[in-house]
């Protein structure tokens, strides 16, 4: 029975069927991962065009020296919007959007594990992007750069509300990105087809799994910094204000603590795409599958230990220079492993030079150049010379545009037939490819030379220094060619959707499961999922005689498809919500950790003014008992649910709500007393850190109470047949809130008093 296809025709999810009803409503209200993935791609395309226009305007300003096409203020605003848009609204959502569409197909699933959360994540990203650009409507977009270093991003220097829209917009986008990552992880771990073990996953799925874990552990660092900067601007806090003993350097540590893993968050999906495209068009299995997969894990781990190389010019202790310089060099080793694996796959292969393959080859060349220039910045003396020059601009564009975006274009040409059912024109595709390659290299190659000749980055104009004008003019001409290349892409999409050649199910003779269904796939994705007996299931199906040579991983003995499917479905139905909540709380733990680090830094190292004498650990400890007791009552409520004793369940649940409310009432009273004593969030660093940290915890308690209250009302109305699963999920959250308060009480009240 392990050789039989898995029949998935019955039990089509009602959400997917409803999503395919006629009219625009089927898109707006859709929870089908394919429609959401397509909407991601269209939104990304829209923001890509906006970001491209912003870049072109900046290049026109820099085409000639002493230009007055843009004012300094407008240039700074365009510079900020361009960087923010391309990173947070183009490259990251592009990888996630492709994954939302392709991952369920590649693992043989009907949909994402949490379809409604999938839709919410998408719309949060869209709403965050709209919030960002609402700043333009105020007349003053954010001017502080996409990195928004304080004190430039603080009120005295960025007075207008555009900066606040930037902060709230990024927070909203961050929540959408984080929940998408959680959903993808749960989907990959719980909805794989029988036989598709972790060691048999397509490398794109592997890379997205690593990428999503990086998102979970990197984004909370940025979110915490955004909240603290928002508190500075809106409530008069002092986290990053040097004039009030705050630390602008701390913002850099937090921002680049997210910012360098973010570079790999953007590039890892492109690596996964290249690892799918090159083998198919070389007609060879990937060379060194295990090394490619494990090197990605190594890069993910190392990426969290290299952030300070962005701060070498700031001035660091010598031991930190040694550590971060060595770590930055070390991360090149697993990256090089991938490049050799991709070259090894092509070596001796029967290469088909499709547009997708051409973009993949260009990716290899340009990403390698960007990586080599990046290694130069690991050497501290070179970094000191080039960090603030146009050499760095060229470097990161070679990594992110020449690398990540070229990889995404390779994937777009590869998977467009599956998504649309139509083939893109190879002739127009070649025009798109060559104009993109020529335009990109003309734009950014000369910027290496400009940087070595001393042209600083982040300037809106420059003096007429010999040699700078012709190279800047060439860079602007290259940007214009790059803009024209986008017209070829748009023309190709429009033409193919109208009159493109019908693709068929598997036009490239691919090997992974997405090519086993129709193009485009039906609402339920699969009628039959072929058996998975190796890393190339469709190839194995077509070549049964060679199965033993290509399976790579032995099939689990003695397990039938029906039995494995039944056990998997049973596990998934009971563990998806809890697994998702556990991942969310892992992220929230890091969020709280960042704020706690700020508290410890300012009060243990920073030397700022304190007001611990205003706290009363004994009285706070007494009312904290109410919160700690609520963990016991929610546990007893769970026991009542397990025994189907509804009266006991409702009673203990109500007790939990009352205890949580009592805690919040006493905490509000403590806040009122402190404010009466003139201890406020804007008074000094103690007030800033204390009210931010305890206030964030209070918001989490309030959110938990809302969840408990909704569950209680539903139980009263007898609208939940099995309350055990939602109660266990909320219970995990509630215990987390209690544990966080133990840490906060110990550090803020006990350690502070001592």
């Amino acid at each position: 029975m392990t050789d039989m296809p898995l029949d998935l025709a019955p039990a089509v999810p009602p959400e997917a069927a409803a999503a395919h009803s006629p009219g625009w409503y089927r898109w707006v209200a859709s929870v089908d991962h394919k429609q959401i993935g397509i909407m991601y791609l269209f939104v990304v395309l829209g923001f890509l065009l906006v970001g491209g226009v912003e870049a072109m305007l900046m290049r026109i300003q820099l085409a000639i020296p002493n230009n007055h096409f843009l004012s300094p203020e407008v240039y700074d605003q365009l510079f900020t919007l361009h960087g923010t848009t391309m990173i947070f609204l183009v490259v990251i959502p592009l990888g996630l959007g492709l994954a939302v569409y392709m991952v369920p197909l590649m693992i043989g699933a009907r949909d994402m594990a949490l379809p409604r959360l999938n839709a919410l994540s998408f719309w949060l990203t869209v709403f965050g992007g709209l919030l960002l650009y609402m700043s333009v409507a105020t007349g003053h977009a954010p001017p502080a750069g996409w990195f928004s270093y304080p004190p430039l991003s603080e009120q005295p220097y960025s007075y207008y509300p555009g900066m606040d829209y930037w902060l709230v917009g990024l927070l909203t986008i961050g929540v959408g990105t984080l929940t998408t990552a959680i959903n993808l992880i749960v989907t990959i771990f719980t909805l794989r087809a029988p036989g598709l073990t972790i060691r048999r996953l397509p490398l794109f799925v592997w890379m997205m799994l690593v990428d999503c874990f990086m998102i979970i552990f990197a984004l909370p660092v940025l979110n915490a910094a955004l909240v603290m900067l928002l508190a500075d601007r809106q409530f008069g806090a002092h986290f990053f204000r040097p004039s009030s003993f705050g630390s602008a350097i701390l913002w850099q540590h937090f921002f680049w603590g997210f910012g360098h893993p973010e570079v790999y968050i953007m590039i890892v999906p492109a690596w996964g795409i290249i690892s799918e495209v090159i083998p198919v068009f070389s007609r060879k299995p990937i060379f060194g599958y295990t090394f490619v997969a494990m090197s990605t894990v190594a890069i993910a781990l190392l990426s969290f230990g290299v952030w300070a190389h962005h701060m070498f010019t700031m001035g660091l202790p010598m031991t930190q220079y040694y550590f971060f310089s060595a770590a930055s060099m070390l991360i090149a080793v697993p990256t090089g492993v991938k490049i050799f694996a991709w070259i090894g796959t092509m070596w001796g292969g029967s290469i088909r030079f499709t547009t997708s393959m051409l973009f993949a080859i260009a990716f290899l060349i340009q990403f390698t150049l960007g990586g080599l220039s990046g290694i130069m910045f690991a050497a501290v003396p070179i970094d000191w010379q080039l960090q603030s020059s146009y050499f760095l601009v060229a470097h990161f564009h070679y990594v992110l545009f020449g690398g990540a975006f070229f990889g995404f274009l390779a994937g777009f040409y590869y998977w467009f037939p599956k998504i649309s059912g139509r083939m893109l024109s190879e002739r127009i595709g070649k025009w798109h490819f060559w104009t993109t390659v020529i335009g990109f290299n003309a734009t950014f190659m000369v910027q290496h030379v400009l940087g070595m000749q001393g042209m600083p980055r982040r300037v809106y104009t420059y003096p007429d220094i010999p040699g700078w004008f012709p190279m800047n003019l060439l860079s602007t001409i290259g940007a214009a060619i790059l803009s024209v290349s986008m017209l070829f892409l748009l023309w190709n999409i429009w033409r193919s959707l109208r009159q493109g050649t019908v693709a068929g199910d598997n036009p490239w003779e691919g090997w992974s499961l997405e090519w086993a269904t129709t193009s485009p796939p039906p609402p339920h994705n699969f009628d039959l999922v072929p058996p998975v007996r190796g890393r190339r299931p469709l190839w194995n199906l077509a070549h049964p005689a060679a199965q033993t040579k290509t399976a790579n991983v032995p099939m689990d003995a003695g397990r039938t498809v029906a039995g494995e499917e039944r056990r998997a479905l049973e596990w998934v139905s009971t563990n998806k919500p809890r697994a998702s909540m556990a991942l969310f709380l892992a992220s929230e733990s890091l969020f709280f950790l960042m704020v706690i680090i700020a508290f410890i830094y300012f009060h243990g190292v920073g030397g700022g003014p304190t007001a611990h004498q205003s706290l009363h650990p004994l009285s706070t400890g007494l009312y904290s008992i109410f919160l700690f007791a609520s963990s016991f009552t929610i546990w007893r409520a769970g026991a009542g649910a397990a025994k189907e004793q509804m009266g006991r369940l409702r009673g203990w649940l109500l007790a939990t709500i009352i205890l949580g409310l009592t805690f919040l009432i006493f905490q509000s009273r403590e806040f009122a007393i402190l404010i009466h004593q003139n201890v406020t969030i804007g008074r000094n660093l103690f007030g800033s850190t204390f009210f931010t940290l305890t206030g964030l915890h209070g918001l989490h308690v309030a959110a938990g109470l809302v969840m408990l209250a909704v569950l209680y009302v539903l139980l009263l109305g007898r609208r939940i047949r099995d309350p055990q699963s939602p109660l266990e999920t909320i219970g995990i959250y509630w215990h987390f809130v209690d544990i966080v308060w133990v840490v906060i009480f110990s550090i803020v009240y006990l350690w502070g008093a001592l």
Side-chain angles (χ1 to χ4, degrees):
M1 291 188 65
T2 55
D3 293 340
M4 294 176 59
L6 178 60
D7 186 358
L8 290 184
V12 178
E15 296 88 354
H20 285 261
S21 59
W24 62 269
Y25 180 78
R26 70 189 179 101
W27 291 93
V28 175
S30 177
V31 294
D32 179 13
H33 76 99
K34 297 180 292 298
Q35 291 183 312
I36 293 173
I38 291 172
M39 288 192 289
Y40 261 115
L41 298 182
F42 274 106
V43 168
V44 165
L45 181 61
F47 281 117
L48 174 64
L49 295 176
V50 172
V53 170
E54 293 162 349
M56 196 64 229
L57 291 173
M58 288 190 291
R59 281 313 319 167
I60 293 173
Q61 166 64 21
L62 294 169
I64 61 176
N66 300 312
N67 197 359
H68 298 286
F69 173 70
L70 298 175
S71 67
E73 294 79 10
V74 172
Y75 184 90
D76 286 345
Q77 293 170 30
L78 287 173
F79 171 72
T80 304
L81 288 174
H82 169 72
T84 305
T85 299
M86 300 305 280
I87 290 172
F88 294 99
L89 293 170
V90 175
V91 181
I92 294 177
L94 184 53
L96 293 176
L98 278 173
V100 163
Y101 192 103
M102 299 308 307
V103 164
L105 293 170
M106 298 179 83
I107 65 174
R110 295 191 185 103
D111 206 323
M112 296 282 283
L114 303 164
R116 292 179 178 86
L117 182 64
N118 192 26
L120 175 63
S121 303
F122 166 74
W123 289 111
L124 282 172
T125 302
V126 173
F127 184 59
L130 295 176
L131 276 174
L132 173 66
Y133 276 89
M134 281 179 67
S135 63
V136 179
T138 68
H140 293 83
W146 72 274
F147 39 81
S148 291
Y149 286 164
L152 184 60
S153 55
E154 294 279 6
Q155 279 281 6
Y157 303 99
S158 297
Y159 179 80
Y160 294 99
M163 196 69 237
D164 301 297
Y165 279 105
W166 184 88
L167 291 166
V168 177
L170 282 196
L171 279 170
T172 307
I173 295 169
V175 174
T177 301
L178 182 64
T179 50
T180 299
I182 291 171
N183 207 347
L184 283 167
I185 291 173
V186 176
T187 299
I188 294 169
F189 274 122
T190 63
L191 297 182
R192 300 192 307 275
L196 189 60
T197 62
I198 290 292
R199 294 175 61 195
R200 289 174 173 168
L201 283 177
L203 279 172
F204 177 72
V205 180
W206 239 112
M207 302 288 185
M208 287 310 306
L209 183 63
V210 175
D211 194 63
C212 290
F213 273 110
M214 293 177 69
I215 289 172
I216 286 176
F217 292 110
L219 261 180
V221 182
L222 175 65
N223 289 343
L226 293 174
V227 167
M228 286 185 269
L229 182 56
L230 192 62
D232 277 8
R233 292 182 55 85
Q234 290 296 314
F235 305 111
H238 305 285
F239 287 102
F240 307 119
R241 295 182 178 181
S243 60
S244 306
F245 298 96
S247 174
I249 301 302
L250 187 63
W251 167 269
Q252 292 193 37
H253 279 292
F254 283 162
F255 185 84
W256 292 117
F258 152 79
H260 201 82
E262 174 206 26
V263 172
Y264 293 97
I265 288 170
M266 290 188 281
I267 195 68
V268 163
W271 290 345
I273 292 169
I274 297 302
S275 301
E276 299 296 326
V277 169
I278 287 179
V280 168
F281 292 117
S282 299
R283 309 313 300 164
K284 284 178 60 181
I286 188 75
F287 177 78
Y289 173 98
T290 302
F291 286 103
V292 174
M294 290 299 102
S295 66
T296 309
V297 177
I299 289 169
L301 296 174
L302 289 170
S303 70
F304 286 90
V306 298
W307 79 86
H309 74 223
H310 294 273
M311 303 166 62
F312 280 169
T313 55
M314 179 196 74
L316 297 171
M318 289 305 299
T319 53
Q320 294 184 27
Y321 281 125
Y322 298 148
F323 174 83
F324 288 106
S325 178
S328 300
M329 293 181 183
L330 181 62
I331 203 169
V333 176
T335 306
V337 168
K338 295 182 185 304
I339 294 172
F340 282 113
W342 294 322
I343 295 173
T345 303
M346 291 190 292
W347 190 271
S350 179
I351 298 177
R352 291 181 288 172
F353 290 100
T354 63
T355 305
S356 176
M357 188 62 174
L358 289 174
F359 273 111
I361 294 171
F363 162 90
L364 280 178
I365 297 170
Q366 292 167 164
F367 174 71
T368 301
L369 290 174
L372 290 174
S373 64
I375 292 299
M376 298 171 64
F377 287 98
V380 176
I382 296 177
D383 183 275
W384 283 348
Q385 181 68 29
L386 299 176
Q387 174 69 235
S388 296
S389 75
Y390 255 79
F391 191 95
L392 183 60
V393 178
H395 155 66
F396 69 68
H397 277 92
Y398 263 83
V399 171
L400 296 183
F401 196 108
F405 195 69
F406 269 66
F408 288 130
L409 288 174
F412 180 78
Y413 277 89
Y414 178 61
W415 279 314
F416 184 87
K418 176 56 57 180
I419 295 171
S420 68
R422 301 278 181 173
M423 300 293 292
L424 287 165
S425 167
E426 285 293 310
R427 179 176 61 87
I428 302 175
K430 298 297 196 306
W431 277 100
H432 175 217
F433 169 75
W434 287 112
T435 51
T436 304
V437 169
I438 293 169
F440 169 76
N441 286 283
T443 303
F444 297 107
M445 182 62 76
V446 295
Q447 292 182 6
H448 291 96
V449 182
L450 280 168
M452 287 188 287
Q453 289 187 358
M455 181 172 174
R457 59 188 176 126
R458 303 171 184 167
V459 292
Y460 89 103
T461 191
Y462 54 93
D464 190 6
I465 295 176
W468 286 19
F469 164 58
M471 285 188 285
N472 272 291
L473 181 61
L474 176 59
S475 185
T476 300
I477 293 171
I481 297 172
L482 199 56
S483 300
V484 171
S485 73
M486 289 301 301
L487 299 179
F488 284 111
L489 175 62
L490 295 174
W491 177 28
N492 206 351
I493 294 172
W494 180 81
R495 178 188 177 279
S496 298
L497 290 176
R498 287 173 60 87
Q499 56 187 31
T501 304
V502 175
D505 294 348
N506 191 1
W508 309 125
E509 298 178 345
W511 302 318
S512 44
L513 290 179
E514 76 269 25
W515 302 108
T517 187
T518 59
S519 302
H524 54 285
N525 288 352
F526 296 95
D527 291 327
L528 296 173
V529 175
V532 179
R533 298 189 295 271
R535 291 173 182 154
R536 299 187 294 166
L538 299 192
W539 193 92
N540 291 333
L541 197 64
H543 303 82
Q547 174 188 337
T548 56
K549 298 180 181 180
T550 61
N552 297 318
V553 182
M555 188 67 177
D556 296 334
R559 301 185 71 181
T560 66
V561 169
E564 185 169 340
E565 180 192 12
R566 182 178 63 253
R567 281 185 288 272
L569 291 176
E570 289 174 353
W571 192 92
V572 167
S573 63
T574 57
N575 288 274
K576 277 192 298 185
R578 280 179 287 178
S580 303
M581 181 61 76
L583 290 169
F584 170 72
L585 294 182
S587 177
E588 287 296 279
S589 298
L590 286 172
F591 175 83
F592 274 107
L593 178 62
M594 293 303 105
V595 188
I596 290 171
I597 286 174
F599 181 91
I600 294 173
Y601 173 80
F602 288 129
H603 301 290
V605 178
T610 62
H612 289 106
Q613 65 274 12
S614 301
L615 300 181
H616 301 283
L618 180 59
S619 61
T620 305
L622 289 176
Y623 75 71
S624 297
I625 294 174
F626 292 104
L627 186 63
F628 301 146
S630 67
S631 275
F632 172 78
T633 56
I634 200 170
W635 171 68
R636 294 307 304 159
K643 296 178 180 179
E644 299 183 354
Q645 298 173 343
M646 300 304 293
R648 178 179 296 182
L649 165 61
R650 288 192 292 267
W652 285 113
L653 194 59
L654 181 60
T656 305
I657 295 172
I658 293 172
L659 289 170
L661 279 173
T662 304
F663 170 81
L664 285 183
I665 291 170
F666 275 103
Q667 188 174 57
S668 300
R669 180 176 177 273
E670 181 184 31
F671 286 179
I673 293 172
L674 289 172
I675 292 171
H676 181 71
Q677 296 174 354
N678 201 24
V679 180
T680 64
I681 192 171
R683 174 69 184 277
N684 52 32
L685 272 173
F686 170 77
S688 299
T689 52
F690 172 80
F691 281 103
T692 301
L693 182 55
T694 55
L696 286 170
H697 177 266
L699 287 176
H700 280 70
V701 174
L705 288 174
V706 170
M707 290 187 282
L708 290 170
V710 170
L711 180 60
Y712 184 76
V713 170
L714 292 176
L715 287 173
L716 287 178
R718 301 183 183 276
R719 297 182 180 180
I720 298 182
R721 295 181 180 179
D722 181 17
Q724 186 172 2
S725 179
L727 183 60
E728 289 178 348
T729 304
I730 299 173
I732 294 173
Y733 176 89
W734 196 257
H735 294 315
F736 166 80
V737 169
D738 281 7
I739 293 170
V740 169
W741 183 248
V742 171
V743 176
I744 292 174
F745 180 78
S746 301
I747 292 175
V748 175
Y749 290 87
L750 300 183
W751 176 75
L754 294 175

